[in-house]
Amino acid sequence: MITDKTLDAVHKLPIEDVIGEYVSLQKKGRDFLGICPFHEDKSPSLHVTPGKDIYKCFACGEGGHGGASFVMKHFKLSYPEAIKKICQDRGIPFEEGHTYDS
């Protein structure tokens, strides 16, 4: 099990920073646009909306909530694998262990 500390650190990362590690994004108003990695894309159709923590491709329909969701789909990883990849790519300590509610 991944510790709450690790999950909190990953979930606090701005979505545009996480997706921007793997896709070149350009700021457009409040959103960011990029070439969608989920289909053959020639013009930017991937929209990243930081205020809502979502991404959506308006050409192929792929979308999701949060950077971990994007990493899961883009690299075909499980949720724990995506969290681990984000930690490795961003230099965040990846901690596993039991977490207990007090």
Side-chain angles (χ1 to χ4, degrees):
M1 177 182 254
I2 303 168
T3 64
D4 290 341
K5 181 179 176 184
T6 298
L7 292 174
D8 288 345
V10 170
H11 291 300
K12 286 180 182 176
L13 293 171
I15 190 170
E16 67 274 18
D17 289 353
V18 175
I19 295 175
E21 286 277 320
Y22 315 108
V23 174
S24 178
L25 296 175
Q26 302 263 331
K27 187 149 177 66
K28 180 97 175 189
R30 292 185 201 163
D31 293 345
F32 291 83
L33 299 176
I35 302 294
C36 179
F38 302 112
H39 72 282
E40 294 288 328
D41 202 7
K42 293 189 174 145
S43 61
S45 58
L46 180 70
H47 291 245
V48 179
T49 306
K52 295 182 180 179
D53 199 36
I54 60 173
Y55 64 94
K56 173 84 174 168
C57 175
F58 287 95
C60 72
E62 191 67 64
H65 183 268
S69 169
F70 177 87
V71 172
M72 286 173 60
K73 291 176 184 179
H74 183 56
F75 294 100
K76 296 176 176 51
L77 301 173
S78 68
Y79 180 73
E81 291 169 332
I83 296 296
K84 190 171 192 173
K85 177 161 183 50
I86 292 168
C87 287
Q88 289 171 340
D89 292 351
R90 306 283 297 177
I92 298 169
F94 181 80
E95 299 175 5
E96 291 183 284
H98 295 286
T99 56
Y100 301 99
D101 291 328
S102 304

